[in-house]
Amino acid sequence: MLFFTQCFGAVLDLIHLRFQHYKAKRVFSAAGQLVCVVNPTHSLKYAPTRCAVAQTSTEQGSLPPCHHHEAVHDPQLVPCTCPLFSCPWEGHLEVVVSHLRQNHRINILQGAEIVFLATDMHLPAPTDWIIMHSCLGHQFLLVLRKQEKYEGHPQFFATMMLIGTPTQADNFTYRLELNRNQRRLKWEATPRSVLECVDSVISDGDCLVLNTSLAQLFSDNGSLAIGIAITTSKVHNGEAEM
Amino acid sequence: MLFFTQCFGAVLDLIHLRFQHYKAKRVFSAAGQLVCVVNPTHSLKYAPTRCAVAQTSTEQGSLPPCHHHEAVHDPQLVPCTCPLFSCPWEGHLEVVVSHLRQNHRINILQGAEIVFLATDMHLPAPTDWIIMHSCLGHQFLLVLRKQEKYEGHPQFFATMMLIGTPTQADNFTYRLELNRNQRRLKWEATPRSVLECVDSVISDGDCLVLNTSLAQLFSDNGSLAIGIAITTSKVHNGEAEM
């Protein structure tokens, strides 16, 4: 019996060690900055025209334009904001984060400044690299997408969305920075709300856009490091909304 | 006779006033920065494969890859570096600036920080906006090009080239900055030498690249303002080359 208990303990230790190794691979600290290794996910339900509806009336309380469900009656409910799947889930904005973590296994990181290290940049389009970022009391969704807007010419699109309303999003500024090979590219903008749909932000090109050759110049061994920083752009006057 | 002299004087005054007005339209100062209005030029001899030769051996003394002339014997001579025309001119690197000014009417501006205001962004591709920039004892060529790399999808490419050798270019860093509508895009890099050919820099995508929708977001009334700054990146050890 003692033998079996010891064996079981050893197996548990191995599982724990494997888990630690897995975590270590995904998040580590370099030069004082938190580096998050993000593996790609092939978009199973990618549809370029998913968000064809014009982005009007996306303030809290009205139906978001990404809505796929015909039978929604509660205007407070929002659909799943995961850009990877056409997920039938819907719920209140406050529980979107836990849905994304539990159902779509999207990691969440803490910290004002982090490095998003996207691996396997060579994988064919469409591919997404996604994490959530918890900062300044809010949660943000960072999406890097490889997509062929022009057939045969994949491009990379990176944007940050607030898991909150457009009014709340106006209070922040996000910065994405690439820095390698004596080149530096910085993109600063107000994050869009997840209610506005990441697909339409990318199809509008209102984000950081990289062609393949530039992505290669900024990549190291097939991985692209994007420095992320979020700041408040004005006094939070929309805090009471959520 | 006095009447004719007076008439001639009046005509001269009018020409002078017209010239002053023309100059005032092209360069003005806004918020302490020199703003240069750059009108577009339709590329008459645009050829995407103009620089098919690999960019090797572009140091001073060897033949540059953009060379079109079969009968060049003097290795010190370089061809015209104007990206607009297949110009048969060739000469020493030291006289390229005066050739560009006199024969191709490319303006030259002084100052460490200037604003390049490209007008008529809506014009069809291929179109170029070009100025020379004199700074830190050297001359630089700034090229903004609208080009269709993918048919039906024009993009804007902006780069800065040193009118000097690649070794001299390594001593500098240039920055291009767009800032409008709560968005900011910065590109920093080491300038390339004009001996390396602007066409291949653009076809490689190793420059600031803007899709049409992003260019529209940064434009104001059809004009795109690009802030330019040049700094020295290390001690000038290549000064003796030229």
Side-chain angles (χ1 to χ4, degrees):
Chain A
M1 185 63 190
L2 184 67
F3 173 71
F4 284 112
T5 313
Q6 280 180 335
C7 277
F8 186 61
V11 167
L12 275 184
D13 282 351
L14 280 171
I15 290 170
H16 179 70
L17 278 170
R18 179 72 190 84
F19 182 68
Q20 288 292 87
H21 173 69
Y22 182 69
K23 292 279 280 187
K25 265 178 71 186
R26 297 192 68 81
V27 181
F28 60 91
S29 186
Q33 275 190 307
L34 193 70
V35 179
C36 177
V37 181
V38 186
N39 296 317
T41 315
H42 197 74
S43 293
L44 291 177
K45 286 277 187 186
Y46 177 71
T49 55
R50 190 176 157 187
C51 299
V53 184
Q55 281 176 35
T56 52
S57 66
T58 49
E59 287 298 309
Q60 194 187 37
S62 61
L63 277 180
C66 286
H67 216 282
H68 307 294
H69 319 290
E70 301 273 327
V72 171
H73 305 295
D74 185 347
Q76 297 294 321
L77 294 182
V78 297
C80 171
T81 58
C82 178
L84 297 172
F85 309 98
S86 289
C87 166
W89 180 90
E90 58 189 21
H92 288 266
L93 201 50
E94 294 87 336
V95 288
V96 165
V97 172
S98 59
H99 168 75
L100 292 176
R101 288 188 75 171
Q102 287 159 19
N103 293 67
H104 299 290
R105 312 243 170 224
I106 298 176
N107 280 335
I108 189 160
L109 283 172
Q110 305 278 338
E113 292 197 20
I114 60 168
V115 175
F116 176 100
L117 188 68
T119 63
D120 304 313
M121 301 291 289
H122 63 278
L123 287 182
T127 301
D128 281 309
W129 291 258
I130 299 173
I131 54 160
M132 281 188 290
H133 183 188
S134 179
C135 173
L136 300 168
H138 286 264
Q139 279 77 40
F140 299 84
L141 190 69
L142 180 79
V143 181
L144 171 68
R145 177 169 292 173
K146 187 175 185 178
Q147 187 177 322
E148 285 188 16
K149 263 181 122 170
Y150 318 123
E151 211 182 315
H153 301 282
Q155 288 178 291
F156 293 89
F157 303 85
T159 189
M160 200 144 212
M161 321 274 294
L162 176 77
I163 301 175
T165 66
T167 313
Q168 286 174 318
D170 281 346
N171 297 323
F172 299 97
T173 298
Y174 74 99
R175 190 184 71 216
L176 305 179
E177 184 171 343
L178 303 166
N179 189 358
R180 204 172 174 269
N181 273 328
Q182 294 179 298
R183 288 159 186 85
R184 190 189 298 251
L185 186 63
K186 273 190 202 178
W187 165 259
E188 269 180 44
T190 302
R192 304 279 279 269
S193 159
V194 285
L195 300 178
E196 293 182 61
C197 186
V198 69
D199 293 347
S200 53
V201 171
I202 286 171
S203 64
D204 291 351
D206 186 11
C207 54
L208 178 66
V209 186
L210 287 178
N211 54 38
T212 316
S213 56
L214 210 50
Q216 276 173 348
L217 277 169
F218 283 114
S219 295
D220 181 19
N221 208 11
S223 295
L224 184 74
I226 306 176
I228 304 166
I230 298 175
T231 51
T232 47
S233 50
K234 59 182 179 182
V235 180
H236 288 228
N237 49 14
E239 285 295 326
E241 276 188 47
M242 220 168 157
Chain B
M1 182 63 188
L2 184 65
F3 174 70
F4 284 113
T5 312
Q6 280 179 334
C7 278
F8 186 61
V11 168
L12 276 185
D13 281 350
L14 280 171
I15 290 170
H16 179 71
L17 278 171
R18 179 73 190 85
F19 182 68
Q20 289 292 87
H21 173 67
Y22 181 71
K23 292 280 279 187
K25 265 178 70 185
R26 298 192 67 81
V27 182
F28 60 90
S29 185
Q33 276 192 306
L34 192 72
V35 180
C36 176
V37 181
V38 185
N39 296 315
T41 315
H42 196 74
S43 293
L44 290 178
K45 285 278 184 184
Y46 177 71
T49 54
R50 191 175 155 188
C51 297
V53 184
Q55 281 178 36
T56 51
S57 66
T58 49
E59 288 298 309
Q60 195 189 34
S62 61
L63 278 180
C66 289
H67 216 280
H68 306 295
H69 318 292
E70 302 270 329
V72 172
H73 306 295
D74 186 346
Q76 297 293 321
L77 295 182
V78 297
C80 172
T81 57
C82 178
L84 298 171
F85 309 98
S86 288
C87 167
W89 181 90
E90 58 188 20
H92 288 263
L93 202 51
E94 295 87 336
V95 289
V96 165
V97 172
S98 59
H99 168 74
L100 292 176
R101 289 188 75 170
Q102 288 161 17
N103 292 68
H104 299 290
R105 312 245 168 223
I106 298 176
N107 280 337
I108 189 160
L109 284 171
Q110 304 278 338
E113 292 197 20
I114 61 169
V115 175
F116 176 100
L117 188 69
T119 64
D120 305 312
M121 300 292 288
H122 63 279
L123 287 182
T127 301
D128 281 309
W129 292 257
I130 299 172
I131 54 160
M132 281 188 289
H133 184 188
S134 178
C135 174
L136 300 169
H138 286 265
Q139 279 77 41
F140 299 84
L141 189 69
L142 180 80
V143 181
L144 171 68
R145 175 169 293 173
K146 187 175 185 178
Q147 186 178 320
E148 286 188 15
K149 262 180 121 171
Y150 318 123
E151 210 181 317
H153 301 282
Q155 288 178 292
F156 293 89
F157 303 85
T159 190
M160 200 145 211
M161 320 275 293
L162 176 76
I163 302 176
T165 65
T167 313
Q168 286 174 319
D170 281 344
N171 297 324
F172 299 97
T173 298
Y174 74 99
R175 190 183 72 216
L176 305 179
E177 185 171 343
L178 303 167
N179 189 358
R180 204 170 174 272
N181 274 327
Q182 294 178 295
R183 288 161 186 85
R184 190 189 296 251
L185 186 63
K186 272 190 202 179
W187 165 259
E188 269 180 44
T190 302
R192 304 279 280 268
S193 159
V194 283
L195 299 179
E196 293 181 63
C197 185
V198 71
D199 293 346
S200 53
V201 171
I202 287 171
S203 65
D204 290 350
D206 186 11
C207 55
L208 178 66
V209 185
L210 287 177
N211 54 37
T212 316
S213 58
L214 210 52
Q216 275 173 349
L217 278 169
F218 283 115
S219 295
D220 181 19
N221 208 14
S223 295
L224 185 74
I226 306 177
I228 303 165
I230 298 174
T231 50
T232 47
S233 50
K234 58 181 180 182
V235 180
H236 287 229
N237 49 14
E239 284 296 324
E241 276 188 48
M242 220 168 156

